[in-house]
Amino acid sequence: MIEVNFSFGGGPTLLYLSLIESDDDRSKLEIIYREYRNLMLYVANGILGDQTDSEDVVHQSFLKLIKVLHKIEEPKCHKTRALVVTIVERTAIDLYRRRQRTAAVPFDEEAVSIPAASEIDGVQTRLDLAAAIAALPARYRQVLLLRYDEGFSCREIAGLLSMTEPNVRKTIQRAKEKLGELLEEGGVKR
């Protein structure tokens, strides 16, 4: 892992920009950095409760974001915000779990989740689907949105969420099953 002093003052450090070849991707990163760095720190700090650890998580999250910059079409939109928050949440949760392995304190992911904003209009079936997705556990919701809303491959999701590729596939399968159950409970046929 590349170590660097992470500054939340001006813009992205030279380290980040040096990792990117495309001028377009550099521009995207600068916009994402300015737009979301405080939110990222807030989310990480909400999970970890420690400023230094939170800054480390944000740094690791930016390194993960650099790997998928080419897939981000619009840096200032709800999809990008959801992606950024998801990456930070998962990175912070991973750090939290690594640190808690010696302690026997259970960790509830749902207590720290930030649901992604959605812009679903009018049609009742879409509203039922949105309600069912929102009712899913956070990890199920995250993998489904990354896979089907953002279009990431299972391999890319595995890298973003620090999971194995087979684990991503199994989580997607379980999420679909749970989503089907929720839709049937709500009277929507699959």
Side-chain angles (χ1 to χ4, degrees), residues 28 31-33 35-43 61 65 71-90 112-119 141-142 145-146 149-150 152:
K28 281 184 203 174
I31 292 168
I32 291 169
Y33 182 90
E35 188 71 19
Y36 302 114
R37 70 178 183 258
N38 292 330
L39 172 64
M40 293 169 77
L41 187 59
Y42 176 80
V43 170
S61 298
L65 274 168
K71 287 217 163 213
I72 297 174
E73 293 175 20
E74 182 60 43
K76 282 187 176 183
C77 73
H78 71 282
K79 285 184 176 184
T80 302
R81 181 186 185 278
L83 174 65
V84 167
V85 168
T86 298
I87 290 172
V88 170
E89 279 182 339
R90 295 301 300 190
V112 296
S113 70
I114 298 175
S118 65
E119 298 176 5
R141 186 174 54 248
Q142 289 170 343
L145 291 174
L146 286 171
D149 192 39
E150 298 287 332
F152 287 99

Side-chain angles (χ1 to χ4, degrees), residues 105-180:
V105 178
F107 182 72
D108 183 13
E109 282 184 14
E110 291 182 19
V112 296
S113 70
I114 298 175
S118 65
E119 298 176 5
I120 299 176
D121 51 8
V123 182
Q124 186 61 38
T125 304
R126 293 180 84 187
L127 291 174
D128 290 339
L129 179 60
I133 289 172
L136 288 172
R139 74 176 188 280
Y140 288 173
R141 186 174 54 248
Q142 289 170 343
V143 295
L144 285 180
L145 291 174
L146 286 171
R147 179 75 176 123
Y148 298 106
D149 192 39
E150 298 287 332
F152 287 99
S153 69
C154 290
R155 175 176 284 162
E156 291 168 325
I157 294 170
L160 290 171
L161 302 182
S162 301
M163 299 169 71
T164 64
E165 201 171 332
N167 192 356
V168 169
R169 282 200 244 3
K170 190 65 173 177
T171 303
I172 289 172
Q173 176 189 350
R174 289 179 180 158
K176 286 179 179 178
E177 290 169 1
K178 183 67 175 172
L179 184 60

